[in-house]
Amino acid sequence: MARAGFTAISSGRISFGKDGRWYSDDEPIPNREIQRLFSRTLQVLPDGRARLELGEDKADVVVEDTPWVVTAVEGDPGRGFVVVLNDETREPLDASSLRVGAEHVLYCRVKGAHEARFLRPAYYQLMRHVEAGPGNAVVLAVGGKRVTLG
């Protein structure tokens, strides 16, 4: 009897790219609904491995950079910011968790203890609110506090 699930691609390598796209055997998965399903069901196991689990179907995932990416930023410096993740969840931005990584990529902490990479559109949405600080520092004012980036 045929089963619905990951069987159509489970023989391939599933990966989540730093560009926020899902891949099977290094080919982009074009179906938006499958991308959404994968993003919503992705789990990070205690040993750090990423896995998709849907009913009886399970598939390990190779994560290129972070298991979630920031796709958009909402809010303003006075009220604070909310990050929108690729699984379509929204979380208040913990500005103290912002860090600049290699190649000037911005990251923040999400879902408790995981990092999320800012995709370029989200990065620009947040950077509209930064100010120049002392010594060429970049400062984000949020909720009455000033956070230095980088």
Side-chain angles (χ1 to χ4, degrees), residues 74-97:
E74 300 169 343
D76 59 58
R79 293 179 300 149
F81 296 100
V82 171
V83 293
V84 181
L85 304 178
N86 60 296
D87 64 359
E88 299 179 346
T89 59
R90 287 171 162 71
E91 297 188 13
L93 172 64
D94 175 3
S96 68
S97 75

Side-chain angles (χ1 to χ4, degrees), residues 62-76:
V62 175
V63 174
E64 186 176 8
D65 188 8
T66 60
W68 292 278
V69 294
V70 178
T71 61
V73 175
E74 300 169 343
D76 59 58

